[in-house]
Amino acid sequence: QYHLTVFWATASLIYLCALFFSFLSVYFLAKSGTKYFFISLIFALLSAFTGGNGMIVFFVGLFILLLQKHKKFLFLWLIIMLITISIYFYGYVMTKSASAIDIGDWFTKLFKITGYFFVYIGSSTDLLNTMSVANRLKPLSLFALFLVGLIMFLYFVFLIKKEYYKKNQVMFFFLVFLFLCSIALAVFRSKYGISQSLHSRYRMIPVLILALSYMSLVEILPKKNITKYFPAFLVFSVLFNILSYYGNYGEIVYHYKKSLFGLSEWMYNKKDYLKLVPERTNIILTKAIENKYYIPPEINYFEFTSKRALLQLPLPLPGETNNIVSNIEIEKDTSPLMIELNGWAFIKGVDSKHCRIC
């Protein structure tokens, strides 16, 4: 469901690395002890400077330390939190989208934020990705997702009343972190419309909320009920994963091929991968490949480029053939990206104007 976190670099940092660092921070802080406190602090700093929402873990840490009644650690945590926030926002340039938050009609604004929040929380249950297809059932689907999000939030309130934070601090406070991240997203993104809450690059948090809620339910149920309902839990887990992949497989393949096509275009002419900043793109990718930070996959440039060009040609793309006449010499590597071929080649019986050989 969250496949765009793989293809989108910024989303990967925020929703993979920052979440991982935040979880580790909560995990070590919940263990209690001087050594674990400083380890937790290190991961909190890593989370904060990896992505903006990573700073939320500092506020979650305050709750944990208050529960543990560690006054010295609480004071130190608060000081470092304030310093971190000050450093983060020093000279910070707000984007137009973030600085243009409408504070006019508070009732309308609150209504949008609330709707966005609950639909976002429930979006993980849109297994077949139905909201990406234009159909008349969208209003009904949105209402269903809203109800699911509301139920999950009420379940979290139930965990608070059951004092689940005493039973499993890590699970509970990471849920707190995820819910606070969801609120922040709703506040800053609700103005773009409720449909954006279903975007794949945001989907990891709702999926984690569902998974942790599921795990907490198993933990608080009596053992005899766990044994009784285990087959149902198992079937639900398997179906959830299968349907999630099935519903998003088409988009996953599309974005994968799109990224390969962009990379192959860049390898061929060095300018079309990111048209807004081609010079910077060239420098970053070239250095990454030369230093082996990034190893590009094997790409058949002909497969990606010719299909687009031949859409406008009356002749079909010829398949593989051994009926080729050629005189080609392979030159020494001129870059870490491609080899250079000099010479000529053609397929017998095929007009060269409608044929390319790679």
Side-chain angles (χ1 to χ4, degrees), residues 18 23 42 49 54 84 126 166 200 210 257 302 312 348-349:
F23 171 78
I42 291 171
F49 289 108
T84 302
D126 184 21
K166 293 182 180 179
S200 172
L210 179 63
K257 289 186 175 180
F302 181 57
Q312 302 173 353
K348 288 182 180 180

Side-chain angles (χ1 to χ4, degrees), residues 279-309:
E279 296 82 8
R280 187 163 178 246
T281 304
N282 293 337
I283 293 171
I284 292 173
L285 280 175
T286 302
K287 284 188 175 180
I289 293 172
E290 286 177 345
N291 295 322
K292 297 184 179 180
Y293 303 139
Y294 170 66
I295 300 176
E298 293 184 4
I299 298 173
N300 185 337
Y301 180 77
F302 181 57
E303 178 184 349
F304 290 100
T305 56
S306 59
K307 286 182 180 178
R308 173 187 284 182

Side-chain angles (χ1 to χ4, degrees), residues 316-342:
L317 177 67
E320 292 185 7
T321 177
N322 292 322
N323 196 21
I324 297 176
V325 180
S326 65
N327 182 16
I328 296 176
E329 294 181 358
I330 300 177
E331 301 292 334
K332 292 182 179 180
D333 292 353
T334 56
S335 76
L337 309 173
M338 301 181 68
I339 59 172
E340 184 176 335
L341 301 177
N342 290 323

Side-chain angles (χ1 to χ4, degrees), residues 241-276:
N241 281 278
I242 292 175
L243 292 176
S244 292
Y245 277 104
Y246 176 78
N248 293 277
Y249 180 76
E251 284 199 18
I252 294 171
V253 172
Y254 166 75
H255 286 292
Y256 174 69
K257 289 186 175 180
K258 184 180 177 182
S259 64
L260 286 185
F261 179 82
L263 185 60
S264 66
E265 283 285 281
W266 172 76
M267 292 170 68
Y268 182 72
N269 56 37
K270 295 290 192 72
K271 66 180 182 179
D272 286 336
Y273 197 35
L274 287 178
K275 295 181 179 180
L276 296 178

